[in-house]
Amino acid sequence: MTRAARKVVVVAALGGAAWWLASCRDIPAPEGGVVAISNITLPSPGLVVNDTMRDSNGVAVPLQVTAFGVDGEPITPPTTPMFIVLDTGAHLVGPLLIGDDAGTTVRVVGSVGSLQTQLVSVKVTESPDTLVAADSTLHHKTYQLESAADSVANSADLSVLVQHRGATTSGVEAVIVHYAIDKKPAGSGEGETAVLVNGSRLSARDTTDATGKASRTARLRLGALTAFGADTVVVSATSSYRGSTIGTVQFTIIYTQQP
């Protein structure tokens, strides 16, 4: 949250240009009962050129800022925030952010009364239309059973590429890829036998990097298995744009105990 306190940042615009002017002054009583505002809420991490920002269902969603009253609760009815784009590459139609130039990053600031949000950066990209495997979809992983109670076996990265296929094929940044476990071994009742992770953290989704790549790892939890030997885990990765799936990649990981 941005608190109504010692400093306020004023955005000035002249002739289509925008810059920051910072000044220190005391702020009078809260305007309209607003004492704090949230950061800008983005419906997605990226913005496609010639389109607006969309949620996971493909529905166009405006930029949003929540205003809070003296009781710390969101003000009802919601206030109407103002937004400014500080860079070329995108423009605003009301609270809708529209992409103009793929390959650019734009900074956006919002305000309610005299309170302003922190800057948020948005990637403007080509449209994602294809999801493919970045490498092999068949993985073999061996493990040695020492202490099954606290042992795990991690697969290699299960990597995919989100692409735009035009005159040339390019990777698309800032696209969400969802991972799901389609098949896993039977369990002993001691929790899930297989989970998806990012390092040490449970995670079933990733956002593509500058090359269009996303990845997650499948972890076999040996302490939850009923038997040991050869076990198969099947994982699918999917992504979508404007509510339509752009592809599904399925990975098979075969875990084998080493004698």
Side-chain angles (χ1 to χ4, degrees):
M1 289 184 194
T2 301
R3 290 279 176 187
R6 293 173 296 277
K7 180 179 288 188
V8 62
V9 178
V10 179
V11 175
L14 180 62
W19 65 88
W20 291 105
L21 174 63
S23 64
C24 293
R25 63 182 176 83
D26 291 331
I27 296 177
E31 298 178 18
V34 177
V35 296
I37 59 175
S38 70
N39 290 325
I40 297 175
T41 302
L42 300 176
S44 62
L47 172 64
V48 172
V49 66
N50 297 324
D51 197 3
T52 188
M53 303 199 84
R54 297 178 179 274
D55 64 15
S56 59
N57 296 316
V59 178
V61 176
L63 302 175
Q64 297 178 352
V65 170
T66 301
F68 298 89
V70 292
D71 58 358
E73 297 296 323
I75 291 177
T76 304
T79 57
T80 300
M82 300 292 292
F83 299 97
I84 292 179
V85 182
L86 302 180
D87 307 283
T88 60
H91 69 279
L92 288 161
V93 177
L96 293 173
L97 186 64
I98 311 294
D100 295 328
D101 300 308
T104 60
T105 300
V106 299
R107 298 166 299 161
V108 183
V109 66
S111 65
V112 176
S114 61
L115 299 181
Q116 295 182 342
T117 69
Q118 295 181 350
L119 287 172
V120 62
S121 295
V122 179
K123 301 284 186 178
V124 184
T125 71
E126 297 285 3
S127 58
D129 52 38
T130 306
L131 179 74
V132 298
D135 43 44
S136 175
T137 59
L138 177 61
H139 297 256
H140 292 269
K141 175 67 178 181
T142 59
Y143 65 88
Q144 289 183 320
L145 187 62
E146 296 178 354
S147 174
D150 57 3
S151 293
V152 297
N154 292 335
S155 73
D157 286 345
L158 309 177
S159 300
V160 295
L161 294 172
V162 174
Q163 299 175 329
H164 170 80
R165 294 189 173 181
T168 59
T169 298
S170 59
V172 182
E173 187 177 2
V175 178
I176 295 175
V177 177
H178 296 272
Y179 285 79
I181 295 177
D182 301 325
K183 179 184 177 182
K184 58 188 174 183
S188 62
E190 299 296 325
E192 300 290 342
T193 58
V195 293
L196 293 164
V197 296
N198 176 27
S200 61
R201 180 173 58 88
L202 293 176
S203 176
R205 56 180 262 176
D206 193 15
T207 302
T208 57
D209 62 17
T211 68
K213 186 176 181 179
S215 63
R216 282 296 177 261
T217 300
R219 171 172 293 171
L220 185 68
R221 299 182 62 250
L222 306 181
L225 298 178
T226 57
F228 304 98
D231 293 293
T232 299
V233 174
V234 178
V235 175
S236 62
T238 61
S239 189
S240 63
Y241 173 55
R242 295 177 70 99
S244 298
T245 300
I246 62 172
T248 299
V249 175
Q250 193 170 69
F251 299 91
T252 300
I253 310 100
I254 300 174
Y255 295 89
T256 306
Q257 179 188 1
Q258 274 188 334

